[in-house]
Amino acid sequence: MRHLPNLILYDIRFSFRQNRIKWLFAAVIQLFLCIRTFDEVSFYAGSYDLLSELWPVMSGAREYLLAEDSSFQLPAYWFLFHAYLFFLVGFYPAAELHLGNGQALIRTCSRKNWIISKWISIIINTVLYYGLYLVLLLAGNMFHGGVLIPGNGIIRLGGIPVFSRSRWDLLAAFVLLPLFMSVALGEMQVVISLFVGPVLAFMAILGYMIASVFWMHPLLAGSYSMLYRQDWVSGRPVISVATGMLLCPALIIFALAAGILMFQRKDILPAV
């Protein structure tokens, strides 16, 4: 475990072993979301395509506008999908840190390598979580004889035209940007958990996600994972794919740099 590649492989194996029950429930939750999605697509659209099947989870909520008759409501599918991801990935690093009175950290001989390994582990787990959902959707799509993009160029569930968007634009908006947002917030959650504990860190990230629903602001990264907030859907340039693709990787790098600097100075265990 003295070398970073070996440490990364150890974290991947050990995190899966520690989270195997969580991954089982992740599959159940995602299967539930897929069933609900195909029910809605069948009822409202009548035909199947991957973009429409992604829409119920990835659409999020429109901008909340305060008015006498307005009411605040969390987008249930969007929130469940992302909240469970943070529950899945955010508890392992802090638990492993204190396992055996810190022996796992001591054996790495480097706090820097330890946190870099956790940083990479979060990326891998998040990609696999999104990949599992896409596999389930694609399997259902093939079962129903669906296509990838609606033939008429309109997502009927949201009434959103996509015929003017390239395949790369759609991939970035529907998958890559939400994925980057999830990685960024997952990394921030892990850094916070090392100092205040995983439960408070998890609650902080959930609060941040709820704030992203309540306010539409470019610094609230949760907005970038909601299709309703993106400029080509909302008509407002506040939240754009281009801005999100710059902000989220910057947050990922910031989380790593801040985590390394703060963790090396944190008096958690004797310096190694």
Side-chain angles (χ1 to χ4, degrees):
M1 290 175 54
R2 291 179 179 275
H3 300 292
L4 183 58
N6 292 334
L7 181 59
I8 294 171
L9 291 176
Y10 165 82
D11 272 329
I12 293 172
R13 291 195 299 266
F14 192 72
S15 64
F16 273 107
R17 188 160 61 246
Q18 289 291 98
N19 290 334
R20 57 186 180 274
I21 301 300
K22 289 184 179 180
W23 273 107
L24 176 62
F25 277 98
V28 172
I29 288 173
Q30 291 192 4
L31 184 60
F32 163 75
L33 291 174
C34 286
I35 292 172
R36 294 296 302 147
T37 290
F38 282 106
D39 286 344
E40 292 190 11
V41 171
S42 175
F43 183 80
Y44 291 105
S47 59
Y48 298 92
D49 62 86
L50 185 61
L51 297 186
S52 295
E53 292 149 14
L54 282 166
W55 184 264
V57 169
M58 298 303 174
S59 58
R62 297 184 187 274
E63 181 182 6
Y64 174 74
L65 299 174
L66 182 61
E68 291 184 0
D69 58 346
S70 63
S71 61
F72 178 73
Q73 185 176 3
L74 280 175
Y77 296 162
W78 173 87
F79 187 74
L80 175 61
F81 180 85
H82 291 96
Y84 191 83
L85 169 62
F86 298 132
F87 174 70
L88 175 67
V89 304
F91 285 75
Y92 160 71
E96 201 256 1
L97 173 63
H98 299 291
L99 182 66
N101 295 321
Q103 290 302 309
L105 175 59
I106 294 173
R107 288 197 299 270
T108 66
C109 298
S110 170
R111 293 188 178 201
K112 179 180 178 181
N113 284 349
W114 185 88
I115 203 167
I116 289 176
S117 177
K118 300 301 178 291
W119 182 78
I120 294 175
S121 175
I122 295 298
I123 295 176
I124 293 173
N125 278 274
T126 304
V127 170
L128 289 176
Y129 183 82
Y130 271 76
L132 174 61
Y133 186 59
L134 286 174
V135 167
L136 291 174
L137 280 182
L138 286 170
N141 182 275
M142 293 177 62
F143 177 79
H144 289 94
V147 296
L148 296 180
I149 300 176
N152 60 0
I154 298 177
I155 301 175
R156 296 182 62 182
L157 280 180
I160 306 300
V162 296
F163 50 79
S164 62
R165 315 296 298 183
S166 69
R167 288 180 178 265
W168 166 252
D169 290 339
L170 295 173
L171 176 64
F174 278 78
V175 179
L176 294 183
L177 189 52
L179 173 63
F180 285 164
M181 184 281 301
S182 296
V183 171
L185 294 189
E187 303 287 6
M188 297 294 291
Q189 179 186 354
V190 167
V191 172
I192 296 171
S193 72
L194 298 177
F195 300 92
V196 302
V199 174
L200 288 179
F202 177 63
M203 297 303 295
I205 292 300
L206 292 190
Y208 183 82
M209 294 291 285
I210 293 172
S212 298
V213 178
F214 199 87
W215 291 289
M216 185 173 174
H217 193 280
L219 294 182
L220 292 173
S223 292
Y224 294 98
S225 67
M226 291 185 273
L227 292 166
Y228 271 130
R229 302 289 178 90
Q230 295 181 15
D231 56 349
W232 63 279
V233 176
S234 69
R236 296 189 57 194
V238 178
I239 305 296
S240 68
V241 174
T243 302
M245 295 293 274
L246 293 175
L247 176 65
C248 291
L251 286 176
I252 294 171
I253 296 172
F254 171 78
L256 175 63
I260 291 174
L261 292 175
M262 295 171 64
F263 189 58
Q264 286 180 329
R265 298 178 181 180
K266 179 70 174 177
D267 187 19
I268 298 176
L269 295 169
V272 294

